[in-house]
Amino acid sequence: MKTAFTAAILAVSALSLAACGGKGDDKLGDQVEQAADNNAAALEATADNLQDQAKAIRDNGEERSDAIDDADVNADALTNGQKAAVINGTAEVK
């Protein structure tokens, strides 16, 4: 009877371990999920930063365009190199 009782307790223990995983896979799975969430959050932060940078570049281009209009630059008098420098932002418009 004692052997049967011990066997029954072992069987119940084995079932309870099987039901909850019992091999540490839940914790590992949680760590995998957390790592994926962290990577996704980093990508989202990078995307937000890139959007901010893109907006700043567009705003700068618009400001430079307005400066060219305000300065009434004679584009026909510029060489191709000068035009390229203005377009690339390496030349100041006066």
Side-chain angles (χ1 to χ4, degrees):
M1 180 103 163
K2 194 174 188 180
T3 306
F5 183 72
T6 304
I9 289 177
L10 288 174
V12 169
S13 296
L15 285 174
S16 66
L17 284 176
C20 71
K23 296 181 180 178
D25 59 347
D26 292 340
K27 185 176 180 181
L28 180 61
D30 289 344
Q31 291 173 342
V32 167
E33 186 175 359
Q34 185 62 50
D37 284 343
N38 292 344
N39 288 339
L43 284 174
E44 289 169 344
T46 299
D48 290 344
N49 186 33
L50 288 174
Q51 286 180 334
D52 292 343
Q53 289 180 21
K55 184 181 182 325
I57 290 169
R58 284 187 182 97
D59 291 347
N60 179 267
E62 185 175 339
E63 290 170 6
R64 289 175 43 231
S65 174
D66 290 345
I68 290 169
D69 287 343
D70 292 345
D72 199 24
V73 173
N74 181 1
D76 290 334
L78 299 176
T79 67
N80 287 336
Q82 290 170 322
K83 290 177 188 176
V86 170
I87 291 169
N88 294 322
T90 57
E92 189 173 321
V93 177
K94 297 178 184 180

